Amino acid sequence: MNNNKVVVVTGGNRGIGLGITKSFLQANYNVIVGARNKPELDHQNLTFQYTDVKEEEDHIKLSNVGIEKYGKIDCYINNAGFSEWRPIDQIDDQFLTNILDTNLKGAFWGSKVASTLLDKGGSIINISSIAGKRGSSNNSAYVASKFGMNGLTQSLAKELGKSGIRVNAVCPVLISTDGLIEALKSPYAPASENPEEFIKEFSKTNSALLRMPTEDEIGKMCVFLASDNASAITGQCINIDCGVLPQ
Ligand code: NDP
């Protein structure tokens, strides 16, 4: 049974974003996915719109799909992003611009467009990272993008609260997506030899639960944050990390 609610998920075609898409479909939402590649998943309540999150105009087109098809948007999720480890002396203008424009500017444009369309009770969810809470070596560009995303979250919660719009972030730790595995293969990453082994070892030594979270667990938290059950929660950047960074 469709619940007539509408969620936009950037990067909802694979990895964590696909986990989010599936969780909202399970919760009977209409899901609009914005990415550069079509999702393989086929579902009657899933609509795809080509989107490059770096472009404000693309967020407008993406939102318009929701407005034209369903008349409204209830939740906008800024998930699209990537990580790449590089030491400071290897960071050039092109690298920095690409990572900040995708991870941070993309969330700005998504939030800006959503703020004009969401009604009272609507919400914005930013997929940040534990990297938005603490720094790590060879990771300054990505970490800065995610600290920025948490700052955006806190500020917009204050700014949009009077309109009844809530803004939250979730901060996952390592989740073995294609994107993460690729990034971990870099010689500057902490695990270039064997990413899967690194994640296993990290789970044993850093996680209270001796494991890492799943895409599904991120998706379920997003469904909760979008729901009326979370009506008093705004401005929070919530770790989903199996107890890696208790706060
Ligand atoms: P993936 O590489 O598996 O997926 C990245 C997603 O972002 C894809 O759907 C991709 O779609 C989309 N994307 C990337 N660039 C753009 C762009 N310019 N325009 C539109 N879509 C874009 O990564 P993850 O699933 O691992 O990461 C998803 C989010 O979660 C990111 O923001 C990441 O920083 C965050 N995160 C990931 C963690 C992890 O351990 N995996 C931990 C903490 C946070 P397409 O290429 O088709 O455009």
Side-chain angles (χ1 to χ4, degrees):
M1 250 271 279
N2 194 296
N3 71 6
N4 292 322
K5 289 202 168 180
V6 185
V7 63
V8 172
V9 187
T10 68
N13 55 343
R14 63 185 162 94
I16 292 175
L18 181 59
I20 296 170
T21 293
K22 287 180 177 168
S23 296
F24 276 93
L25 287 173
Q26 254 166 30
N28 298 315
Y29 274 73
N30 298 300
V31 181
I32 301 159
V33 166
R36 294 163 303 179
N37 299 286
K38 253 187 137 161
E40 282 173 20
L41 180 68
D42 189 27
H43 191 288
Q44 58 175 352
N45 297 335
L46 174 64
T47 310
F48 171 75
Q49 167 70 29
Y50 173 90
T51 305
D52 181 342
V53 292
K54 300 198 281 301
E55 306 297 331
E56 182 178 8
E57 190 57 35
D58 282 15
H59 288 274
I60 296 170
K61 287 185 193 151
L62 178 61
S63 305
N64 281 344
V65 173
I67 299 300
E68 279 159 21
K69 205 165 171 182
Y70 303 109
K72 61 165 186 165
I73 289 169
D74 297 287
C75 180
Y76 201 102
I77 303 189
N78 293 304
N79 162 75
F82 72 97
S83 69
E84 188 176 332
W85 276 268
R86 275 201 196 184
I88 188 73
D89 65 359
Q90 297 297 317
I91 293 178
D92 55 26
D93 190 63
Q94 191 190 6
F95 174 80
L96 189 58
T97 300
N98 193 25
I99 205 160
L100 292 179
D101 280 9
T102 307
N103 295 1
L104 184 55
K105 210 201 244 184
F108 264 87
W109 296 148
S111 302
K112 182 181 173 189
V113 171
S115 73
T116 64
L117 298 173
L118 292 170
D119 287 328
K120 194 167 183 278
S123 78
I124 297 169
I125 302 172
N126 294 321
I127 307 305
S128 179
S129 170
I130 285 295
K133 299 285 186 77
R134 64 177 189 196
S136 58
S137 182
N138 291 352
N139 208 14
S140 55
Y142 180 71
V143 164
S145 75
K146 294 301 185 179
F147 266 73
M149 202 179 215
N150 288 352
L152 172 70
T153 303
Q154 293 187 5
S155 300
L156 289 187
K158 289 288 191 186
E159 193 171 323
L160 303 178
K162 56 185 173 299
S163 307
I165 298 169
R166 295 178 298 105
V167 187
N168 291 292
V170 299
C171 300
V173 72
L174 302 176
I175 296 182
S176 181
T177 60
D178 291 348
L180 176 73
I181 297 298
E182 206 42 51
L184 280 173
K185 286 180 186 160
S186 153
Y188 305 123
S192 58
E193 296 299 313
N194 191 338
E196 296 288 2
E197 196 49 44
F198 168 79
I199 294 171
K200 234 189 250 172
E201 194 54 35
F202 184 89
S203 305
K204 268 200 276 182
T205 51
N206 286 272
S207 162
L209 299 178
L210 304 175
R211 68 175 182 89
M212 294 290 103
T214 62
E215 293 90 335
D216 180 54
E217 288 172 314
I218 309 302
K220 283 183 176 142
M221 174 56 101
C222 291
V223 171
F224 168 70
L225 286 173
S227 77
D228 288 344
N229 292 330
S231 52
I233 301 176
T234 194
Q236 304 305 314
C237 303
I238 300 166
N239 298 352
I240 307 184
D241 67 346
C242 296
V244 167
L245 184 63
Q247 289 191 306

